[in-house]
């Protein structure tokens, strides 16, 4: 049975139109009979200029124009008797806000009500008008109405609206939509006292892909980046593309910096995996900056600026990193610029030296090689650690001239050493990617006369992220020179086993990250170490472990078959003069010492922090810091077991207990471990919420640079001070 004609529906209906009217009756006197009127309506219905619908008193479908039935992709027999509101739903954003069923239940006329099919397979959109119908007795007998098909018009506007809010290439939210989402989220969350994190992402080496493979390849890569971001985020937030290679991620209800750091690491890892495009294979990287509302900003502009500063810091730190916003980042940027200038002057002034860290064979404790390490003696700063200036040197590309000078200097020294002693040199990705690196190595070897077999170049896994063809060519050139090649920090990044088969590496070096204490083992993940040693053995490579500082760890590595070890368990780095003195004594062997411990890496720091005990606030000196604890100085006669709260500033509070105490120095253990801050430092997972401070009477604002004011204000100091400040304590009550 086909769709019911309009005239058939009304014929014979009480209260409807009587089509059986004799000619010459008053109805036809005007020239248009009722039958003609129905014919006109059927023409309108058939041509699509107007469609019609009707319901019974219960709101169930009594009639639908054939075109409506067709648009719904159904048959009239299946639709008759169904509630009209089951077939149509208001479009998103319909101003009325009431459901179709509610409108019908009022039994009042309506017009211009826009609905769409409830069936997702149908795209039809109608603008409905209707009025209630009553019989002669005044009883309600249903609705009669018209429908206008606005599907094409509505879907076109919908697509235009989508394009105005979404990136046409990746399908991600665009800058305009992200700004709206951030604004609305912060406004809503502010009243509900909720947090939200904003991540700024920038792709590293994307321009290189565009320049070498073309813009079509770049577009394909961006689409794959969007897919990978969706896989990582998995619905936990909104992702936007706000520029050519810039992305944003808004994560609601998230202020745990440990978890955010893990998300950032996963994003960096996922986006750094190889991409396949039509023009070939390419590899890029990613840097991430993170800011959290309300801690780092209450308004959108404030939060975005904080995330931008963190992103800038992560890129300057060597790329492929993440950074959390901190109030001192602007000051840090100024210090970085000044250090860049001083580094350039230091190169000219010859303020760099090279020191040598012994590598020892575990078979006989014989020194088999020396690893060259950079040293910078600055007139104002004193001795500057390599961990401090190397990221800046890499970001400014000053590492290229510094590295060439250091390699030449080390090779000149090594020429006078015994032929059995190798010199090893760590090569940064920036050095390796520079034009003519392999040629520079060849020139240095020729100029110094060093046997190429005695030079070992160490590459970390970031080197493999460069252009595959260029990497393969450079490694092949170095291999032909006879230089020994090793893969440094194996297992800490993105090593591909298939790449290991192709690359001519002679050794795998296991980094200290393997030896951080783990559950059930104070010396790290020995099962993973065993697997790496087995892999190296199967591929004919030697193994070396770096950062070994304790006898128990060395013993474990020896039983598992590691070949060589370096670290404080044998010796610290030596000057060139000290190396010559050792060599003058004949065969060089080193006995391990039992003075070190393999614990969570401690960073030596000397800065002022706060200590809260009961109702008192003390300023003390933080001497060193690790994930699990710290050493503080400034309070006398503190018994073991005393509970403190350490105030690191900017809302960072850590509950800890004193585990050992000597004079005015205490070793404390944190109740909750600190987490990576992305810059090689540590931070607390959570901070004092500005909402809590506002509840205590402070204005609602981000945690700006004041170091200790918020925590200090929480203590009245009205009680008895239990501990006496020592002469080593910093001046009280002043910012660090």
């Amino acid at each position: 049975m086909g769709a019911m004609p309009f005239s058939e529906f009304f014929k014979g209906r009480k209260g409807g139109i009587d089509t059986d009217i004799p000619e010459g009756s008053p109805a036809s006197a005007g020239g248009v009979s009722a039958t003609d009127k129905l014919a006109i309506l059927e023409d309108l219905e058939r041509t699509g200029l107007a469609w019609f619908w009707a319901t019974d008193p219960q709101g169930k479908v009594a009639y639908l124009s054939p075109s409506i039935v067709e648009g719904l992709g159904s048959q009239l027999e299946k639709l008759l008797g169904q509630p009209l509101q089951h077939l149509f739903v208001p479009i998103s954003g319909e101003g009325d806000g009431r459901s179709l069923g509610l409108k019908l239940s009022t039994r009042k006329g309506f017009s211009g009500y826009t609905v769409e099919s409830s069936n997702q397979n149908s795209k039809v959109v109608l603008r409905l008008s209707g009025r209630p119908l009553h019989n002669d007795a005044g009883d309600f007998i249903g609705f009669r109405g018209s429908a206008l098909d606005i599907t094409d018009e509505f879907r076109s506007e919908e697509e235009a609206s989508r394009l105005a809010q979404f990136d046409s290439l990746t399908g991600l939210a665009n800058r305009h939509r992200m700004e709206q989402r951030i604004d609305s989220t912060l406004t809503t969350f502010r009243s509900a006292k909720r947090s939200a994190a904003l991540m700024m992402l920038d792709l590293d080496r994307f321009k290189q892909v565009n320049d070498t493979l073309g813009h079509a390849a770049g577009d394909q890569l961006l689409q794959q980046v969007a897919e990978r971001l969706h896989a990582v985020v998995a619905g936990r937030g909104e992702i936007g593309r706000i520029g050519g290679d810039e992305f944003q991620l808004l994560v609601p209800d998230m202020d745990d910096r440990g978890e955010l750091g893990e998300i950032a690491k996963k994003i960096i890892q996922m986006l750094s995996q190889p991409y396949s495009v039509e023009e070939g294979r390419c590899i890029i990287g990613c840097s991430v900056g993170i800011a959290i509302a309300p801690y780092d900003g209450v308004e959108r502009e404030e939060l975005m600026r904080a995330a931008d500063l963190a992103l800038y810091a992560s890129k300057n730190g060597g790329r492929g990193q993440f950074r959390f916003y901190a109030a001192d980042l602007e000051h840090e940027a100024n210090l970085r610029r000044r250090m860049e200038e001083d580094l350039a002057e230091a190169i000219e002034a010859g303020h760099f030296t090279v020191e040598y860290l012994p590598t020892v064979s575990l078979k006989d404790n014989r020194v088999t090689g020396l690893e060259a390490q950079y040293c910078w003696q600055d007139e104002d700063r004193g001795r500057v650690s390599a961990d401090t200036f190397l990221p800046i040197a890499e970001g400014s590309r000053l590492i290229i001239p510094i590295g060439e000078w250091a390699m030449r200097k080390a090779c000149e020294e090594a020429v006078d050493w015994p032929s059995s002693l190798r010199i090893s040199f760590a090569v940064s990705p920036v050095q390796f990617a520079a034009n003519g690196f392999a040629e520079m190595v060849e020139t240095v070897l020729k100029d110094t006369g060093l046997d190429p077999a005695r030079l070992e170049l160490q590459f970390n896994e970031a080197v493999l992220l460069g252009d595959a063809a260029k990497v393969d060519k450079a490694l092949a050139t170095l291999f032909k020179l006879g230089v020994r090649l090793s893969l440094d920090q194996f297992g800490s990044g993105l090593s591909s086993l298939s790449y290991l088969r192709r690359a001519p590496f002679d050794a795998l070096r296991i980094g200290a990250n393997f030896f951080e204490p783990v559950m059930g083992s104070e010396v790290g993940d020995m099962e993973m170490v065993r697997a790496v040693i087995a892999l190296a053995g199967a591929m004919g490579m030697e193994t070396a472990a770096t950062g070994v500082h304790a006898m128990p760890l060395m013993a474990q590595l020896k039983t598992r078959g590691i070949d060589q070890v370096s670290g404080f368990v044998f010796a610290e780095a030596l000057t060139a003069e000290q190396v010559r003195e050792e060599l003058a004594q004949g065969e060089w062997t080193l006995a391990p010492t039992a003075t070190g411990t393999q614990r969570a890496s401690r960073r030596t720091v000397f800065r002022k922090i706060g200590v809260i005990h009961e109702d008192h606030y003390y300023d003390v000196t933080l001497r060193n810091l690790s994930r699990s604890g710290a050493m503080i100085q400034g309070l006398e006669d503190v018994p073991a077991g005393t509970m403190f709260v350490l105030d690191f500033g900017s809302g960072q509070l850590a509950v800890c207990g004193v585990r050992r105490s000597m004079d005015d120095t205490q070793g404390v253990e944190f109740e909750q471990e600190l987490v990576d801050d992305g810059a090689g430092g540590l931070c607390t997972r959570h901070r004092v919420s500005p909402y809590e401070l506002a509840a205590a009477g402070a204005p609602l604002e981000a945690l700006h640079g004041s170091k200790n004011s918020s925590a200090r204000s929480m203590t009245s100091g009205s009680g008895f001070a239990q501990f006496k400040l020592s002469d080593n304590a910093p001046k009280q009550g002043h910012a660090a």
Side-chain angles (χ1 to χ4, degrees):
M1 178 179 175
M4 183 186 299
F6 189 80
S7 57
E8 290 297 322
F9 170 71
F10 284 101
K11 186 179 294 184
R13 293 252 176 172
K14 188 174 182 180
I17 300 176
D18 186 1
T19 61
D20 190 15
I21 302 175
E23 289 187 21
S25 67
S28 62
V32 180
S33 68
T35 303
D36 291 337
K37 288 182 180 180
L38 287 176
I40 292 172
L41 291 175
E42 286 190 359
D43 284 340
L44 290 173
E45 187 177 45
R46 184 172 56 255
T47 58
L49 293 176
W51 295 344
F52 304 101
W53 58 274
T55 69
D56 64 13
Q58 288 74 43
K60 296 179 180 179
V61 173
Y63 177 77
L64 287 175
S65 288
S67 295
I68 298 179
V69 175
E70 183 180 350
L72 293 174
S74 184
Q75 296 177 341
L76 185 60
E77 296 90 334
K78 296 180 179 179
L79 302 179
L80 291 176
Q82 290 194 39
L84 187 65
Q85 64 266 28
H86 288 184
L87 304 183
F88 298 102
V89 294
I91 61 166
S92 176
E94 167 62 41
D96 190 301
R98 291 180 292 176
S99 70
L100 182 56
L102 187 60
K103 292 187 76 69
L104 296 177
S105 67
T106 64
R107 298 184 179 181
K108 294 181 180 179
F110 61 89
S111 62
Y113 186 69
T114 306
V115 297
E116 62 183 338
S117 171
S118 59
N119 181 359
Q120 293 184 350
N121 295 324
S122 172
K123 299 298 182 182
V124 68
V125 181
L126 304 177
R127 184 168 290 141
L128 300 182
S129 296
R131 67 179 183 85
L133 190 66
H134 299 82
N135 60 18
D136 294 340
D139 298 325
F140 173 70
I141 60 174
F143 266 88
R144 305 290 184 268
S146 63
L148 183 63
D149 181 16
I150 60 169
T151 303
D152 292 341
E153 173 189 347
F154 179 83
R155 296 303 179 192
S156 295
E157 291 178 357
E158 185 180 49
E159 178 64 11
S161 176
R162 190 191 70 80
L163 292 175
Q165 297 190 68
F166 293 90
D167 176 50
S168 58
L169 178 64
T170 63
L172 301 176
N174 61 16
R175 179 186 293 272
H176 177 65
R177 176 175 171 82
M178 287 303 295
E179 289 179 351
Q180 289 182 325
R181 292 283 289 120
I182 296 170
D183 272 333
S184 61
T185 298
L186 294 183
T187 300
T188 304
F189 281 24
R190 193 178 305 131
S191 59
K193 296 180 173 55
R194 295 161 64 185
S195 60
L198 179 65
M199 292 186 177
M200 299 288 288
L201 284 62
D202 188 87
L203 303 183
D204 303 327
R205 299 184 297 278
F206 176 72
K207 183 178 182 299
Q208 179 182 332
V209 174
N210 266 345
D211 292 344
T212 57
L213 299 181
H215 290 282
D219 288 349
Q220 293 176 37
L221 188 148
L222 289 173
Q223 290 170 336
Q224 294 180 44
V225 165
E227 293 172 0
R228 295 185 187 188
L229 286 175
H230 275 302
V232 174
V233 176
R236 285 182 289 183
E238 177 142 13
I239 311 165
R241 180 187 175 213
I242 60 172
D245 60 352
E246 293 180 295
F247 296 80
Q248 278 182 341
L249 171 59
L250 179 64
V251 187
D253 296 310
M254 177 68 73
D255 65 356
D256 185 328
R257 291 190 287 184
E259 190 168 346
L260 286 168
E262 290 303 314
I263 293 174
K265 289 177 185 177
K266 191 171 183 180
I267 287 174
I268 293 169
Q269 184 178 25
M270 286 286 286
L271 298 191
S272 299
Q273 299 288 344
Y275 296 82
S276 294
V277 295
E278 288 184 6
E279 290 75 8
R281 177 177 174 271
C282 56
I283 301 177
I284 60 171
C286 177
S287 300
V288 181
I290 308 170
I292 308 170
Y295 308 90
D296 305 321
V298 177
E299 303 294 339
R300 171 173 57 84
E301 294 82 1
E302 191 179 12
L303 190 66
M304 288 181 63
R305 183 174 181 276
D308 265 329
L309 278 171
L311 175 62
Y312 178 77
S314 70
K315 292 180 75 70
N316 282 334
R319 301 175 185 268
Q321 302 177 356
F322 71 90
R323 286 291 296 272
F324 291 108
Y325 171 76
D328 57 359
L329 281 185
E330 290 186 75
H331 179 57
E332 180 182 309
N334 293 331
L335 291 178
R336 176 180 293 275
R337 282 191 290 270
R338 181 183 168 190
M339 185 171 281
E340 282 184 16
E341 296 170 359
D342 292 348
L343 275 172
E345 294 177 3
I347 296 172
E348 298 295 328
H351 291 163
F352 284 96
T353 58
V354 180
E355 292 184 350
Y356 303 94
L357 181 68
T359 299
V360 180
S361 169
L362 287 186
K363 291 181 180 179
D364 51 14
N365 291 350
R366 181 174 53 87
V367 177
T368 59
L370 293 167
E371 180 182 345
Q373 297 188 339
Y374 301 96
C375 297
W376 177 23
Q377 192 68 32
D378 184 64
E379 293 179 354
D380 297 327
R381 300 179 181 87
R383 182 185 174 91
V384 184
S385 70
D387 289 342
T388 299
F389 73 80
L390 279 183
I392 297 174
E394 290 188 357
S396 62
R397 298 183 65 81
L398 288 172
I399 190 64
I400 297 173
I402 294 173
E404 181 175 352
W405 171 86
M407 183 179 293
R408 184 175 294 274
K409 183 69 175 177
C411 289
E412 288 174 352
E413 294 279 354
V415 167
D416 297 327
W417 300 344
S419 59
S420 60
L421 200 60
R422 288 194 298 263
I423 176 68
S424 59
F425 189 87
V427 180
S428 85
V430 176
Q431 286 174 278
F432 185 76
N435 291 330
F437 173 76
E439 290 75 10
M440 181 272 291
V441 174
E442 183 177 11
T443 300
V444 168
L445 290 172
K446 287 181 179 178
D447 292 348
T448 60
L450 182 70
D451 180 358
R454 293 181 57 204
L455 175 63
E456 178 178 314
L457 299 181
Q458 302 167 1
F459 303 96
N460 65 35
E461 296 176 347
V463 166
L464 306 183
L465 300 180
D467 178 75
K470 187 175 180 180
V471 170
D472 289 346
K473 181 179 179 181
L475 291 178
T477 301
L478 294 170
F479 179 73
K480 290 177 182 177
L481 284 177
V483 172
R484 180 181 169 88
L485 307 176
S486 65
L487 185 58
D488 199 14
Q489 301 293 317
F490 179 76
S492 62
L494 307 165
S495 292
S496 165
L497 297 184
S498 62
Y499 199 97
L500 283 181
R501 288 203 309 269
R502 289 172 21 228
F505 289 116
D506 299 286
L508 295 182
R509 293 167 57 86
I510 304 172
N513 59 300
F514 272 93
F515 312 135
E516 292 279 353
V518 296
M519 187 71 69
S521 174
E522 287 298 314
V523 294
D525 193 344
M526 286 297 106
E527 291 306 312
M528 186 66 73
V529 171
R530 186 199 302 273
V532 173
I533 294 171
L535 173 65
M539 303 187 76
M541 300 179 186
E542 293 182 6
T543 53
T546 63
V548 180
H549 305 321
M551 289 284 285
L553 173 60
M554 190 205 70
Q556 291 273 5
L557 294 173
K558 188 172 183 178
T559 60
R560 281 163 175 74
I562 203 86
D563 296 313
Q564 299 164 3
V565 160
S566 65
F568 298 157
V569 71
F570 282 109
E572 296 184 2
L574 307 173
T575 64
E577 180 61 31
Q578 289 173 318
V579 170
R580 285 192 288 270
E581 291 174 359
E582 292 288 348
L583 292 174
Q585 299 177 24
E587 187 176 32
W588 190 2
T589 60
L590 288 173
T593 61
T595 56
T597 58
Q598 203 75 24
R599 61 186 177 188
S601 177
R602 287 188 175 267
R603 297 156 174 83
T604 300
V605 287
F606 286 91
R607 71 176 179 90
K608 181 177 174 180
I609 65 168
V611 168
I612 302 171
H613 179 255
E614 295 181 349
D615 199 29
H616 274 270
Y617 192 101
Y618 307 89
D619 289 307
V620 300
T621 300
L622 176 66
R623 295 185 62 86
N624 65 38
L625 183 67
S626 74
R627 288 179 182 273
S628 56
M631 182 180 291
I632 59 175
Q633 184 178 31
L635 297 179
E636 294 183 346
D637 302 325
V638 178
T642 302
M643 298 302 295
F644 284 148
V645 175
L646 299 192
D647 178 15
F648 294 109
S650 298
Q652 299 186 93
L653 302 180
V655 178
C656 61
V658 175
R659 291 293 170 261
R660 56 190 178 280
S661 182
M662 180 178 294
D663 299 327
D664 67 345
T665 302
Q666 293 81 41
V668 300
E669 183 178 8
F670 299 130
E671 283 193 351
Q672 185 178 54
E673 287 193 349
L674 304 185
V675 298
D676 290 333
D677 67 356
L682 298 168
C683 62
T684 58
R685 279 186 177 272
H686 302 282
R687 289 174 282 176
V688 176
S689 171
Y691 295 133
E692 296 174 0
L693 298 178
L700 179 60
E701 59 183 7
L703 298 173
H704 296 298
S706 56
K707 289 286 184 184
N708 303 319
S709 58
S710 60
R712 189 188 300 273
S713 65
M714 296 177 186
T715 59
S716 65
S718 58
F720 176 72
Q722 186 169 342
F723 303 116
K724 180 182 177 182
L725 293 165
S726 74
D727 293 338
N728 293 317
K731 195 171 183 179
Q732 301 296 295
H734 292 75

